[in-house]
Amino acid sequence: MRRPPTSLLAICSLVTWLLACPTTSLARDYRINVGQLPLYAETKDRGILIDVIKAMDEEYAAGRLIIEIYPFERSIHNVAQGLADLHFPIVGSADWGPEDGPYEEELRARGLRRSTCSLTKSHFALFRHRNRPPLDLTRLDDYRIETDAGHRAFFEFPIQGTTCLPCSVEKLSANRIDGLVFASREIDLMIREAGLTNIARQNFRIFGSKFILPNTAEGARTDAMLCEVIGRMIRKGSLERAARPYSAYFVREYGDPYLPDLKDLSRLD
């Protein structure tokens, strides 16, 4: 009997292996749309958060994480339309765990949800005029406080939205509002660029920086992949190394890198 060609035997062996091991052999690429942000994500190759996502790509062995940059709302829209698998970043009220609340309800109405795990964390500070005492966090309803219009849903007290954060910084300096709540790094930069010295900062809340993904069975598998990859990065220390440019500000200002850690991982056990 004539022996089949070696190349045919090799192909048959490969097909047999693929059929026997479907879950490990088929790579799954993910298209991540990142909202374009100065410093954080300027292009698909430049930004302190882009560096962290690239480190995720190195850790994810079953395929590729393909980075694309879009304006923020379009990035989320692309996930809703099935043009992307993930959007990053988005504020997470629970820095490590499932989400609920008004914004999560808005996402679910669009067929979306936030991830369980955070890639980084962000310190939202409450800014006030320096001549005033610290604002009472138990009486925030009594103050005129502003935040970015797109972030109003993340706060439980009445808060005014603004589409011009630098304008709100100037209003705070002129005592036209009582407070401004937003990510401390961004507001600190606006204060410096405006040359203002009469604005003080107090701690407010730590939020998670999460992903938006489809609220489907496939989205649940994507969520599990994210937690697995981020968890490995935490245990190996590669997240801390990749995020040093991101964390430097928080370490300097607050003495904390604001990254998920082993304590966060234990909440999923």
Side-chain angles (χ1 to χ4, degrees):
M1 181 176 178
R2 186 176 179 183
R3 180 180 176 83
T6 302
S7 58
L8 180 58
L9 289 173
I11 293 172
C12 290
S13 298
L14 176 60
V15 170
T16 302
W17 183 77
L18 287 172
L19 292 174
C21 308
T23 58
T24 58
S25 62
L26 299 179
R28 170 70 160 94
D29 294 344
Y30 291 91
R31 195 171 298 275
I32 300 181
N33 279 195
V34 182
Q36 190 168 35
L37 297 166
L39 179 66
Y40 294 100
E42 298 178 353
T43 71
K44 67 182 181 65
D45 297 310
R46 186 173 70 249
I48 56 179
L49 285 180
I50 297 298
D51 293 339
V52 182
I53 297 174
K54 286 182 177 180
M56 280 188 69
D57 181 40
E58 293 178 7
E59 186 64 42
Y60 175 60
R64 296 176 54 215
L65 303 182
I66 302 167
I67 302 171
E68 298 175 334
I69 301 292
Y70 285 97
F72 211 84
E73 185 52 41
R74 183 179 172 189
S75 177
I76 298 173
H77 176 76
N78 285 347
V79 180
Q81 295 299 309
L83 302 174
D85 299 297
L86 301 158
H87 159 83
F88 184 78
I90 194 69
V91 168
S93 299
D95 56 8
W96 201 268
E99 295 288 341
D100 55 19
Y103 185 70
E104 193 69 9
E105 292 176 5
E106 291 179 21
L107 287 178
R108 288 171 185 165
R110 300 172 64 180
L112 303 172
R113 53 165 288 198
R114 281 173 288 184
S115 61
T116 302
C117 302
S118 297
L119 182 58
T120 62
K121 300 179 185 180
S122 182
H123 192 296
F124 272 50
L126 175 57
F127 295 83
R128 68 181 192 279
H129 196 281
R130 190 171 295 279
N131 290 341
R132 301 190 58 164
L135 302 189
D136 186 344
L137 299 182
T138 67
R139 297 176 46 247
L140 294 178
D141 293 10
D142 297 340
Y143 302 113
R144 296 167 299 163
I145 300 176
E146 291 188 354
T147 190
D148 172 71
H151 287 73
R152 290 181 63 198
F154 301 121
F155 302 100
E156 296 81 20
F157 59 92
I159 190 167
Q160 297 299 310
T162 177
T163 58
C164 178
L165 285 169
C167 302
S168 294
V169 170
E170 295 287 353
K171 287 166 66 176
L172 187 60
S173 175
N175 258 324
R176 292 170 53 200
I177 57 176
D178 300 316
L180 174 63
V181 174
F182 199 65
S184 61
R185 187 201 303 260
E186 285 84 339
I187 302 301
D188 277 350
L189 178 60
M190 293 176 192
I191 292 171
R192 288 198 303 271
E193 290 179 341
L196 301 173
T197 59
N198 62 348
I199 295 178
R201 183 184 72 199
Q202 64 188 84
N203 293 343
F204 181 69
R205 185 172 175 183
I206 308 301
F207 287 100
S209 296
K210 294 193 167 186
F211 297 82
I212 287 178
L213 47 125
N215 189 23
T216 61
E218 181 62 28
R221 288 188 287 270
T222 301
D223 188 52
M225 178 277 294
L226 290 171
C227 289
E228 179 184 351
V229 171
I230 295 170
R232 287 203 305 267
M233 294 175 71
I234 292 171
R235 294 184 183 95
K236 294 166 62 174
S238 58
L239 177 60
E240 186 275 332
R241 290 191 294 273
R244 280 173 186 166
Y246 172 84
S247 298
Y249 163 85
F250 297 113
V251 172
R252 182 179 70 248
E253 297 293 326
Y254 300 104
D256 192 305
Y258 290 128
L259 295 172
D261 54 26
L262 293 174
K263 290 182 180 178
D264 293 312
L265 284 181
S266 67
R267 299 181 196 175
L268 299 180
D269 295 338

